[in-house]
């Protein structure tokens, strides 16, 4: 099985300004051509998994609930565009916590 691991911020959605966190669905903007790119990967036999560091949760800038709302909306739009995301993995910790779930670990 072929799997494509995709970063959310800067790949799926437009990269926010440095040190700016996407804290709500209204701030989320899909990258240009992301739908065609992902459909091409699927056509080549890839399963899609999103991995994302979300240290804004650890910094108390937004909650897991806020993140869930963003991801639910994102998945809904993907579904409407015939794109299936198999799973989303996220790390809510700050860099300083040095956890094992933070990318690239």
């Amino acid at each position: 099985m072929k799997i494509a691991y995709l970063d959310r911020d800067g790949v799926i959605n437009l990269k926010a300004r440095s040190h700016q966190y996407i804290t709500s669905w209204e701030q989320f903007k899909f990258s240009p051509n992301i739908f065609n790119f992902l459909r091409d990967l699927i056509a080549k036999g890839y399963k899609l998994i999103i991995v994302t560091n979300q240290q804004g949760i650890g910094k108390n800038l937004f909650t897991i609930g806020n993140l869930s709302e963003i991801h639910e909306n994102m998945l809904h739009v993907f579904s409407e565009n015939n794109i299936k995301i198999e799973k989303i993995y996220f790390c809510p910790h700050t860099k300083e916590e040095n956890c094992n779930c933070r990318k690239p670990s």
Side-chain angles (χ1 to χ4, degrees), residues 53-74:
N53 291 332
Q54 294 297 319
Q55 73 173 341
I57 294 170
K59 292 181 175 185
N60 294 314
L61 300 174
F62 57 97
T63 66
I64 289 177
N66 298 126
L67 183 67
S68 294
E69 179 185 359
I70 293 166
H71 287 173
E72 287 171 17
N73 283 301
M74 179 184 68

Side-chain angles (χ1 to χ4, degrees), residues 9-97:
D9 298 325
V11 174
I12 292 173
N13 71 293
L14 290 173
K15 182 119 174 111
R17 292 190 310 264
S18 180
H19 304 293
Q20 179 186 9
Y21 296 93
I22 304 297
T23 61
S24 69
W25 175 243
E26 291 73 29
Q27 295 172 320
F28 190 97
K29 304 289 182 232
F30 285 99
S31 294
N33 298 317
I34 191 64
F35 301 109
N36 289 334
F37 173 69
L38 296 180
R39 281 192 292 265
D40 286 347
L41 284 175
I42 292 168
K44 292 176 182 174
Y46 285 88
K47 302 287 185 184
L48 307 178
I49 294 178
I50 296 171
V51 291
T52 180
N53 291 332
Q54 294 297 319
Q55 73 173 341
I57 294 170
K59 292 181 175 185
N60 294 314
L61 300 174
F62 57 97
T63 66
I64 289 177
N66 298 126
L67 183 67
S68 294
E69 179 185 359
I70 293 166
H71 287 173
E72 287 171 17
N73 283 301
M74 179 184 68
L75 291 173
H76 178 75
V77 173
F78 279 147
S79 177
E80 288 179 331
N81 284 275
N82 298 314
I83 296 167
K84 181 179 181 193
I85 303 298
E86 300 295 325
K87 185 81 174 160
I88 299 174
Y89 294 99
F90 72 93
C91 172
H93 307 109
T94 63
K95 277 191 242 186
E96 294 74 27
E97 290 179 77

